[in-house]
Every structure is written in C-alpha cells, then in structure tokens.
Amino acid sequence: MKTQGDIVAAARDLAAKAAGAQELMESVVRLLSAERPYYSWTGFYLMEGSDTLVLGPYQGKPSPHTRIPLNQGICGAAASSGSTLIVDNVNADPRYLACSLETRSEIVVPIKRDGKVLGEIDIDSDRPAAFSDDDRRLLERVANIVAARL
Ligand code: SME
C-alpha cells in the first residue's frame, strides 16, 4: 500500500500529464481506488451554479444520486460548509442519501480554490468508521491538486 506522500506525488504526476480536468479526475479515481482497497465507492461531484452538485467520474456501483441539491445529503452538507465531513456510521446520520446498502461510512472533502467550493471528493466504505485523519489529510491534499485544474 502506497503511503500518503507516495499517492500525493502520483496525483501531482497525473495532474502534470492530464489533458484536462475530466482526464485528471478519472485517473485520480483509479489511483485512489487501487491504493486504498477500503474505498468501496470513489467519485467526484462538481458544482453546477450555486446550489447543485453533479456527479463526475467515479468508480463503484452506479449512484442514483447524479444531482444533489446543496441542502441534501452528506455531500450537500460538506459543500455548504466548505469543510471535510467524516461520518463513521452512515445509518445513524439522517442527512445520509444511500448509494449502496453495503455502505457503512463516508468521507466528503470539498475541492476549493480561493475559498470557493468547486466540487468535492466523495468516498464510501463498506467498513464502519473506515476513515482516519490520514485519509482526511490525503484527500485534502489531492483535492488541492485537482482544484488547480478545475
Ligand atoms: N451518500 C451521499 C450521496 C452520494 S453517494 O454516496 C455516491 C450523501 O449522503 O450525500
């Protein structure tokens, strides 16, 4: 398993090589899914206007939530607050919008540039309380790399 530093370096490499944001997000999804097997669903949502998140590249089961208003879901809450959200038990969180019955925990990391939320990285795990501070730091660093290309 690659360390946080290795993955960040690999993401920087992908950002340097990618032709555009779409290609970069696709390759980052592949990188994170391959290096962190407990990331059961890994994807991007991007802001459309000021009140809706739209599903971007992802790996995992097809999500029924292709468009999420900012006042809904854990995704909406993270984008509204501009801060990373970790939910150790999704079934105990009334905001949770289910994507898969197997999901137990979730992390959502806003992608920000100049203080503005442009989108987010959303990861579900089939393991309860799967996400640590290391995941948070890793994904916030990766979000900054992607932010520069959006
Ligand atoms: N669980 C998210 C919805 C997106 S799916 O997990 C892919 C939420 O509660 O906002």
Side-chain angles (χ1 to χ4, degrees), residues 41 45 63 65 68 73-76 95-97 99 106 122 124:
W41 190 98
Y45 281 91
S63 171
H65 304 293
I68 303 177
I74 294 164
C75 286
R95 298 169 297 184
Y96 176 62
L97 300 171
C99 177
E106 179 162 6
D122 177 23
D124 291 348

